[in-house]
Amino acid sequence: MNEETLNLSLRSFLKRVGINCQREIEMGVRQALEDGRLQGDETIPVKITLEFGPLDAPFVVEGEISLE
């Protein structure tokens, strides 16, 4: 295994994940604010699930995003 190749590939993947997730969350929050489903002072629970072939079970990261 080439450690440098793995590192560069992993960083590229995580960058795409971060950019796309941020965009989706921002669009979702804006739409929910427009629709009245959010007031703008909430803390929203979030969860990301990573499915990675060799893992026996998905890896889950949970957290919160504050709007105020």
Side-chain angles (χ1 to χ4, degrees):
M1 176 178 75
N2 184 314
E3 292 286 336
E4 185 175 342
T5 299
L6 172 63
N7 187 288
L8 290 172
S9 181
L10 183 54
R11 284 175 183 248
S12 175
F13 173 75
L14 291 174
K15 185 176 181 178
R16 284 194 328 258
V17 169
I19 290 168
N20 289 320
C21 287
Q22 181 175 348
R23 181 175 43 240
E24 290 297 317
I25 291 169
E26 287 173 348
M27 288 182 347
V29 166
R30 284 188 190 101
Q31 187 64 54
L33 287 167
E34 289 176 16
D35 295 347
R37 292 178 283 138
L38 290 175
Q39 301 301 312
D41 58 354
E42 294 89 349
T43 298
I44 303 167
V46 293
K47 177 168 71 171
I48 299 249
T49 302
L50 172 67
E51 294 183 13
F52 173 61
L55 294 178
D56 291 334
F59 176 72
V60 178
V61 177
E62 296 185 54
E64 296 179 332
I65 295 174
S66 178
L67 301 182
E68 186 174 68

